[in-house]
Amino acid sequence: MKKRMKTVCLVATAVPMLLGMAACSGKSGNGNEGKTQAQNGKSAIDLSKHVSFTYASVQAIDGVDYTKGDALAKYYSQKFNYDMKVSALNWDNWDQNLRIWINSGDMPDVAVYNFNYPDAASFVEQGLLKKLPDDWKTRWPNVAAVYNETSLGPEMEKKFGGTYFLPRARFMHNLPGDPLPNHPSLYLRTDWAKAVGFPVKSAYTTSEIIQYGKLIKEKDPGHAGAKLIPLAEDTASAVDLFVGRNSTYYQGFYKDKDGKYKWGGASPDTLNGLKLLSEAYRSGVLSKNFYTVKNQEHGSYFNVNGTAGAVFTQAPTSNLQTYYDDFKTNTKLDPYQNIDMATVLGDDGHYHQTDLINYWGTVIFNPNLSDDVFDRYMDILDYNSTPEGDIITNMGLKDVDWTYDGSGKVKSLYDPVKEGKPLGGTTGKYPSNGYLLGSMILFDDFAFDNPNYDQRVRDISKQLYADRVKMGTPDTFPKVDWDLYTYDSPAMRRAQFDYDTEYANLVTMPGDIEANWQNWVKSKMPLIQPVLDELNAKLAK
């Protein structure tokens, strides 16, 4: 666990938040203030010049005006005197579109990049991204404080000889473990489990999940009929559930106990996971067309349609309340009585995962971006890395949606029942609410202390993260190997695969899964072996 920061003036309702990036302000600052005093005693920021810039992110919503579309967007655009034009990407085109734009020299002014080391190194080598000025940490100290907590930022700075990527921290004050557990969890229908005599637990092995699915398929306790899906997944989640939960290194290389580097795709653990995935698919536990589901839409079969017995999908604290609320709205059932949230273990009884690293998405800049626009966007990031900015990005406008009570704690003024809508999202009070208004700290962190979230949701999420730290071992849940993570060569770049699609193809094609896997491993070795030779010559001990 990393060292936490000193407490200043913000304390949340349930758990004291450890804050120390900047002094708190009692003003929300409506409108364009021309020149405003920056946090932590920085010199005044000149906001008198209007700037315009383009932005691309997977988290954007098509059709939303992120400059003047709602009161929150207006607050930021007026406070920092800008216009922003947004390109909305989706989960399927995010990587490809940014790769094309960056390589063609046609990227937006600012973008959120799904960090991939070989591609990132190539972009830097070719001068396709802006290098931040050497004094940026002094000029924007609040951004620097978050950057240092991500681990990725400082490590990449060493490799590239400067800063090209600003990782956004998943956790700043509420880091649940080191190594860091990931979000995906099993949502299981408690009422259906009880109806078929299946135990309700906080953790299941992959074989137990298949057993549950077979019982649901046989007895259909929810009377869903032809619409029943015992286990609803998309390609990535299905592979992660069965292969990833059994094989820590199923998507890459690793150093084995003998000190030599191996390829996880060829490991017995990966084969075991593929056999389980094949069993789930061929027995009808997994939907026959799971590989056609797009954009992580598989969760809707559980919390919207109510026709799925279970789903393995994202479960960060920042999204759990919405998921529970949607379940209640659509199924008319109490989610706290009818949803079991569980960690998925390998059949060896251990939690499997490589260190998540404390970030998700990196902010990058066009190399030709003007200093005026770059400075302005960094000013936004710096403001939102302060306590007050962080609250605004999570809870809306001060003295409208939240305020401080007499003891300095954050008090919510937002009542979704009276408002008749959620705070953010397409149908929310502030459709612009989200990371596009300039966040370096993701919602995951503040969600543990957010008074807008039911304490039960926060407790459930905390327990899930804590369980994974305890249920993993140094072998099944290792810390990041930075030498391997940052290893780059032409051979390594050629050996990059879409593992989710590759593994899904193996289980959906005719024939025996083990034979299919053996043929696949053999077909990949011309690309894999040169990498293994390099790693063992240069990094092995």
Side-chain angles (χ1 to χ4, degrees):
M1 187 76 72
K2 294 185 179 180
K3 183 180 180 181
R4 301 269 60 85
M5 295 187 173
K6 296 179 181 179
T7 302
V8 280
C9 52
L10 166 65
V11 182
T13 52
V15 179
M17 291 185 67
L18 301 179
L19 300 164
M21 293 180 295
C24 290
S25 168
K27 299 179 181 179
S28 58
N30 293 310
N32 176 21
E33 299 172 11
K35 291 186 178 182
T36 182
Q37 188 67 29
Q39 303 293 326
N40 282 349
K42 284 173 60 181
S43 59
I45 300 171
D46 187 355
L47 301 176
S48 59
K49 181 178 180 179
H50 186 80
V51 299
S52 299
F53 57 92
T54 56
Y55 192 111
S57 173
V58 72
Q59 294 157 313
I61 302 173
D62 271 323
V64 169
D65 179 353
Y66 285 91
T67 303
K68 299 178 180 179
D70 57 54
L72 192 63
K74 290 178 183 177
Y75 167 78
Y76 274 96
S77 64
Q78 292 175 4
K79 181 178 181 66
F80 290 97
N81 197 14
Y82 67 76
D83 285 293
M84 174 169 57
K85 183 178 181 181
V86 172
S87 295
L89 303 175
N90 62 49
W91 301 106
D92 292 327
N93 66 22
W94 182 20
D95 293 345
Q96 180 181 5
N97 281 14
L98 271 182
R99 187 180 297 114
I100 292 171
W101 291 340
I102 293 170
N103 280 316
S104 66
D106 195 32
M107 70 170 286
D109 295 325
V110 186
V112 175
Y113 169 61
N114 191 19
F115 192 86
N116 170 279
Y117 185 80
D119 280 350
S122 177
F123 297 154
V124 172
E125 287 173 5
Q126 299 177 70
L128 299 175
L129 300 176
K130 182 179 181 64
K131 180 181 179 182
L132 273 64
D134 293 340
D135 64 348
W136 77 265
K137 294 176 186 176
T138 302
R139 295 171 63 187
W140 296 285
N142 300 301
V143 176
V146 180
Y147 172 88
N148 288 334
E149 288 293 303
T150 66
S151 297
L152 182 75
E155 290 290 340
M156 294 308 100
E157 186 177 346
K158 295 176 189 175
K159 295 298 294 186
F160 299 137
T163 304
Y164 294 84
F165 305 90
L166 292 176
R168 304 179 307 174
R170 291 179 186 254
F171 300 99
M172 184 67 188
H173 314 288
N174 292 290
L175 189 67
D178 184 15
L180 180 62
N182 206 346
H183 304 315
S185 303
L186 186 73
Y187 297 74
L188 183 144
R189 283 290 295 265
T190 305
D191 52 340
W192 291 11
K194 291 178 179 178
V196 300
F198 187 76
V200 176
K201 304 190 296 183
S202 61
Y204 297 97
T205 66
T206 43
S207 287
E208 287 177 320
I209 293 169
I210 292 177
Q211 177 190 358
Y212 167 77
K214 289 179 178 179
L215 288 171
I216 295 301
K217 182 175 183 291
E218 175 188 353
K219 300 184 178 182
D220 188 12
H223 308 293
K227 295 181 179 180
L228 174 65
I229 304 177
L231 180 62
E233 305 298 337
D234 64 4
T235 299
S237 294
V239 171
D240 188 11
L241 170 57
F242 291 106
V243 186
R245 296 312 93 212
N246 283 282
S247 180
T248 301
Y249 303 103
Y250 73 111
Q251 290 188 320
F253 301 91
Y254 67 101
K255 183 185 285 187
D256 208 350
K257 292 180 180 179
D258 61 5
K260 299 293 184 181
Y261 280 89
K262 310 287 176 62
W263 179 45
S267 74
D269 288 345
T270 295
L271 174 59
N272 290 338
L274 285 168
K275 287 180 176 179
L276 288 161
L277 177 57
S278 178
E279 179 184 355
Y281 175 68
R282 298 187 183 194
S283 68
V285 166
L286 195 63
S287 171
K288 288 297 182 183
N289 62 348
F290 76 92
Y291 49 86
T292 66
V293 178
K294 302 294 184 182
N295 297 331
Q296 299 186 338
E297 293 173 352
H298 57 293
S300 64
Y301 292 107
F302 187 91
N303 75 327
V304 176
N305 299 345
T307 56
V311 62
F312 182 73
T313 189
Q314 292 290 324
T317 311
S318 57
N319 190 51
L320 212 51
Q321 186 71 66
T322 299
Y323 205 91
Y324 271 51
D325 289 347
D326 286 347
F327 181 88
K328 182 177 181 179
T329 298
N330 293 296
T331 68
K332 312 305 179 186
L333 297 171
D334 182 351
Y336 300 98
Q337 296 296 321
N338 293 280
I339 297 178
D340 176 34
M341 296 293 301
T343 290
V344 178
L345 308 176
D347 275 17
D348 60 2
H350 297 304
Y351 180 70
H352 289 255
Q353 184 201 309
T354 54
D355 185 1
L356 185 60
I357 310 178
N358 187 28
Y359 87 101
W360 184 75
T362 59
V363 178
I364 57 174
F365 300 93
N366 188 301
N368 300 315
L369 186 64
S370 71
D371 289 343
D372 287 339
V373 174
F374 171 75
D375 288 354
R376 191 66 54 84
Y377 197 74
M378 290 296 291
D379 292 340
I380 299 168
L381 292 180
D382 203 67
Y383 173 70
N384 284 338
S385 297
T386 67
E388 183 166 284
D390 191 30
I391 301 169
I392 291 171
T393 59
N394 281 275
M395 295 184 65
L397 296 174
K398 185 176 182 295
D399 297 326
V400 175
D401 305 295
W402 64 274
T403 190
Y404 296 112
D405 67 15
S407 62
K409 294 180 179 180
V410 178
K411 176 184 177 181
S412 178
L413 301 176
Y414 181 77
D415 185 339
V417 176
K418 291 182 179 179
E419 293 276 358
K421 63 185 71 173
L423 189 66
T426 307
T427 61
K429 180 178 181 180
Y430 305 123
S432 69
N433 182 57
Y435 304 125
L436 271 79
L437 298 178
S439 293
M440 278 291 290
I441 306 172
L442 301 187
F443 292 171
D444 311 59
D445 185 76
F446 190 80
F448 283 122
D449 301 309
N450 193 330
N452 283 330
Y453 296 168
D454 192 300
Q455 185 64 50
R456 291 172 292 180
V457 161
R458 291 146 62 183
D459 290 342
I460 289 168
S461 190
K462 287 179 183 179
Q463 190 61 54
L464 287 170
Y465 289 116
D467 286 349
R468 287 162 200 179
V469 174
K470 292 184 293 186
M471 293 175 178
T473 72
D475 291 328
T476 67
F477 187 17
K479 298 184 72 169
V480 64
D481 178 348
W482 287 111
D483 288 338
L484 176 60
Y485 188 93
T486 58
Y487 183 80
D488 185 34
S489 73
M492 178 65 88
R493 294 182 189 184
R494 287 191 293 269
Q496 302 298 308
F497 312 123
D498 180 351
Y499 283 94
D500 293 335
T501 299
E502 299 267 359
Y503 290 139
N505 287 341
L506 291 179
V507 301
T508 56
M509 68 174 59
D512 176 72
I513 182 59
E514 184 165 356
N516 291 345
W517 171 76
Q518 289 174 341
N519 291 333
W520 176 77
V521 170
K522 184 178 180 180
S523 73
K524 296 299 183 185
M525 289 314 294
L527 292 174
I528 294 298
Q529 192 60 53
V531 180
L532 291 175
D533 292 342
E534 289 179 359
L535 292 174
N536 285 311
K538 298 178 180 179
L539 299 182
K541 295 179 180 179

